[in-house]
Amino acid sequence: MEAEEAYQVGFKSKVFSKIENRISRRELVRKLWHISPGILGAPIILFTPKYVTLFVVWFLAFIYTLQHLKLRKGWKIKVPIADISYRQMAREDELEGNHYMGSFLFWVTMGIICTVFPKLIALAALWVSTFGDCFNAIVGQAVGGAKIPWNKNKTVIGSLTMFVVSIFALIAAHKVIGASYGLGLLAFVASVATFMESLPIYSAWDEFTVPMSTAILLWLFYGGELLSVVW
């Protein structure tokens, strides 16, 4: 038994060592920041009136827009929350180019989605964007392997991971809202979101394309009142 346990510990150590060699500590911190809206934002969508959700989301959209403009224009101001976030999770190209395009796009997009669409759609878009994209990057970088033909910066295993995680995210959103669903429909929505994330465009744009495509497709399938003042 001791030999078997030692083998398992050694195997796990090798696996984590390989992951650490492939993914930098900064990248792991980035992904923790990236996933945090999916964890912290869900209770706000689920348990508060719509006007509270809109206040929170548009406040965050405002400060991340301000941070983006500050970096672009060279303004000497310190933006609460967004300034700390920028230091922790900005992409290398964002640090070099003095902008914060990814977070700016994400929060403005979520502001639009929460304003326009019903609660189920807002929650689903949030979880697909945060969880799906996060696990895509972590697994893709940790495992590596074959690249997607149309985007050599993306791996097949990463996209497959996003597809599976997105399906679970969509199921979870339906479960907590108490809505029925068809697995084939959710698989289609997840596949479109995964494809949008894989496109060979500037990487920050997936913060818009992934949640917005999820929201639009679900609304086309389910309908529902747009621009409602209540959830």
Side-chain angles (χ1 to χ4, degrees):
M1 287 293 292
E2 291 182 1
E4 184 178 346
E5 289 177 1
Y7 171 78
Q8 291 177 351
V9 170
F11 176 76
K12 290 178 181 178
S13 178
K14 288 180 180 179
V15 170
F16 284 115
S17 177
K18 287 183 178 180
I19 292 175
E20 288 177 355
N21 288 335
R22 287 180 177 270
I23 307 177
S24 67
R25 183 178 296 274
R26 175 176 175 78
E27 185 64 17
L28 289 174
V29 171
R30 280 191 68 248
K31 292 310 172 186
L32 286 174
W33 274 91
H34 189 280
I35 209 170
S36 60
I39 298 171
L40 301 177
I44 297 174
I45 293 175
L46 286 169
F47 303 121
T48 68
K50 187 169 185 177
Y51 69 86
V52 174
T53 300
L54 293 183
F55 173 80
V56 173
V57 174
W58 280 112
F59 169 74
L60 290 168
F62 171 74
I63 64 172
Y64 279 97
T65 300
L66 189 60
Q67 178 74 11
H68 178 62
L69 291 174
K70 164 201 166 179
L71 295 165
R72 280 294 196 194
K73 304 295 184 180
W75 296 339
K76 302 300 181 182
I77 57 175
K78 189 170 184 178
V79 183
I81 304 173
D83 188 67
I84 299 173
S85 169
Y86 174 73
R87 293 198 301 270
Q88 295 292 325
M89 70 170 297
R91 297 177 171 91
E92 292 299 326
D93 60 299
E94 290 176 327
L95 291 170
E96 293 172 3
N98 288 326
H99 62 88
Y100 206 15
M101 192 74 170
S103 292
F104 155 68
L105 282 173
F106 173 77
W107 286 109
V108 169
T109 302
M110 284 308 305
I112 295 170
I113 289 172
C114 289
T115 301
V116 174
F117 297 101
K119 179 188 291 191
L120 168 62
I121 294 174
L123 183 62
L126 174 68
W127 277 351
V128 168
S129 181
T130 53
F131 294 121
D133 192 16
C134 177
F135 284 99
N136 176 352
I138 290 175
V139 174
Q141 292 179 44
V143 178
K147 303 292 185 180
I148 294 175
W150 57 87
N151 189 346
K152 298 303 180 182
N153 293 321
K154 305 287 185 178
T155 62
V156 172
I157 188 65
S159 288
L160 286 174
T161 300
M162 178 172 177
F163 173 70
V164 172
V165 171
S166 295
I167 290 177
F168 279 106
L170 289 165
I171 291 173
H174 284 72
K175 289 284 189 181
V176 298
I177 295 294
S180 59
Y181 61 88
L183 192 57
L185 184 153
L186 300 190
F188 176 73
V189 174
S191 66
V192 172
T194 301
F195 174 72
M196 289 295 180
E197 195 281 334
S198 74
L199 291 175
I201 56 178
Y202 177 54
S203 59
W205 278 102
D206 62 15
E207 304 290 1
F208 168 77
T209 59
V210 171
M212 188 58 74
S213 64
T214 300
I216 291 173
L217 282 175
L218 287 175
W219 183 78
L220 288 174
F221 285 127
Y222 294 149
E225 186 178 353
L226 298 179
L227 294 170
S228 173
V229 295
V230 296
W231 286 117

